Amino acid sequence: MATETSRPAGELPPAVFDPARLAAVADTGLLDTAPEGTFDDLAQLALAITGAQKAFFTIADGRRSFWKTALGMDPAAGRENDIRDSPCHILIGTGRELIAEDAAHDPRIKDLGAIGALGIGAWAGYPVFSPDGHVLGGFCVVDRNARPFTPVQSQALRTLARSVSSEIALRHALRQARARGEASAALARTLQDSLLPPRLPKAPGMDVAAVHLPADATGAVGVEVVGDFYDLFHTRGLDWCAVMGDVSGKGIEAAKVTALARYTVRTEATQHSDPATVLHRLHEAMVDQQISDRFLTAALAVFRPDSEGLAGRYASAGHLPALIRRADGAVEELHAAGRLLSPLLPASRDQHAVTSFRLEPGDALLLYTDGVTEARDRDRGPFFGDERLAASLAATRGATASETLDRLWREVADHSGGHAVDDTALLLVRVPPRI
């Protein structure tokens, strides 16, 4: 009995014609539309990461694979091919990625018309999903020669494919809100949360916590999405990366820059261990892709746990200094000179300094945004400020990561009377004390 990847040439899996899937395809509104920078930018990243010559984002109905993005293709070649000729129908049938390192001899795709027509030597494709889980099409790269794709490249492509699905989900949510005439705070919070990790990973030898607190629905930010974000992730080997960022302004433009920043940092940090290089690559992406004129500040730490604690390197792009709370309660500022990132400023390799740091048992590193230091009450009283933050952090000696952030937020809330005119993000990495 034929499987989804061993069907005779020209025979399509039933999932291609699933009415619910076809309805989801139509609902995207992407068929027969012009290329867009949002998707082209992600495809450009895929080419930079893999060194391949072509990258596609395709939407497939029951008869064709429509190329919403087709980098590396001659425009005269058109923007679609028959679904029977495209490996995309295999992604639809299985719902899983397909990597063919030698397309001409891979039994799954060697007889498909696209292999010869598009000069496919190697193909790496990943399904793109609708918000309700239907496979809409694929995100793929094509190399003219047979070649392997490294685990790092495969993971990066997987992340980029998920970002395409996330962009489609974001648009779907916005269309639903407009159709109902609602721009609700709940939707804004959902969109904001989609730009943050759903939960922090379990990092060996570390106690970690993070919090993102929304501005008041009645405050200046209202129900719009803002640009504060954070992330903590494993890069390679024993190395980890923590990042905190703040995009200027709010709304969809800020969300676009936030998404670009988070996905770019995740991709580049797996390739470069130097935090200044990661920030430089992010700046290059902002300048090259020009998705918005919003600027961004960011603080980035790359570190590795060892038997005595952890050793790290820190770089900043115009962000507030990180704070280190020592086990005895002493608080130190961690500075690294660096210019904020703007698509209107040229990217320079020497614009970010790097500072080394070390955390011993009981020490903690705090990254945060200015929603903390600029918190104040509705009567526009004094800011919470840097000195009060340092004193509050010092008073948390001995507390766990989550306890530390809880206490800090209570101090900020008491000072501001519970009023928050801006979103607030905090991320803490702590080395547990020896027992």
Side-chain angles (χ1 to χ4, degrees), residues 263-335:
Y263 294 129
T264 301
V265 166
R266 274 193 165 245
T267 298
E268 296 297 339
T270 63
Q271 320 257 339
H272 307 286
S273 58
D274 176 35
T277 299
V278 176
L279 291 177
H280 172 67
R281 294 288 291 161
L282 171 57
H283 196 178
E284 285 186 324
M286 293 174 66
V287 171
D288 291 345
Q289 298 174 35
Q290 295 287 329
I291 61 172
S292 172
D293 60 1
R294 302 297 176 87
F295 66 82
L296 163 71
T297 69
L300 192 144
V302 176
F303 49 88
R304 173 180 294 191
D306 56 37
S307 59
E308 301 298 325
L310 64 83
R313 305 178 74 207
Y314 172 81
S316 173
H319 201 76
L320 298 168
L323 298 179
I324 294 179
R325 184 201 65 201
R326 298 299 180 187
D328 62 2
V331 174
E332 306 167 8
E333 287 190 346
L334 188 59
H335 289 276

Side-chain angles (χ1 to χ4, degrees), residues 195-208:
L195 301 174
L196 300 171
R199 64 181 65 84
L200 292 182
K202 293 182 179 180
M206 292 174 272
D207 173 24
V208 299

Side-chain angles (χ1 to χ4, degrees), residues 206-283:
M206 292 174 272
D207 173 24
V208 299
V211 63
H212 184 271
L213 301 157
D216 295 343
T218 56
V221 173
V223 298
E224 292 193 85
V225 184
V226 299
D228 290 7
F229 71 95
Y230 64 84
D231 206 354
L232 174 71
F233 56 95
H234 173 251
T235 58
R236 55 184 176 180
L238 300 176
D239 292 341
W240 286 73
C241 179
V243 62
M244 178 69 65
D246 190 353
V247 179
S248 63
K250 53 188 180 291
I252 296 302
E253 289 300 307
K256 288 180 180 178
V257 178
T258 298
L260 172 67
R262 185 175 172 222
Y263 294 129
T264 301
V265 166
R266 274 193 165 245
T267 298
E268 296 297 339
T270 63
Q271 320 257 339
H272 307 286
S273 58
D274 176 35
T277 299
V278 176
L279 291 177
H280 172 67
R281 294 288 291 161
L282 171 57
H283 196 178

Side-chain angles (χ1 to χ4, degrees), residues 307-375:
S307 59
E308 301 298 325
L310 64 83
R313 305 178 74 207
Y314 172 81
S316 173
H319 201 76
L320 298 168
L323 298 179
I324 294 179
R325 184 201 65 201
R326 298 299 180 187
D328 62 2
V331 174
E332 306 167 8
E333 287 190 346
L334 188 59
H335 289 276
R339 190 178 68 187
L340 61 79
L341 309 182
S342 167
L344 306 179
L345 297 173
S348 171
R349 284 193 174 275
D350 59 358
Q351 70 188 44
H352 305 295
V354 175
T355 301
S356 297
F357 67 94
R358 181 161 188 87
L359 300 185
E360 305 292 343
D363 295 346
L365 172 72
L366 177 69
L367 306 179
Y368 58 96
T369 60
D370 58 10
V372 176
T373 53
E374 296 183 3

Side-chain angles (χ1 to χ4, degrees), residues 57-81:
F57 161 44
T58 64
I59 295 287
D61 59 16
R63 65 178 183 85
R64 59 179 174 148
S65 179
F66 172 74
W67 306 338
K68 177 66 176 174
T69 289
L71 298 189
M73 287 293 295
D74 182 351
R79 293 179 54 212
E80 64 179 62
N81 62 350

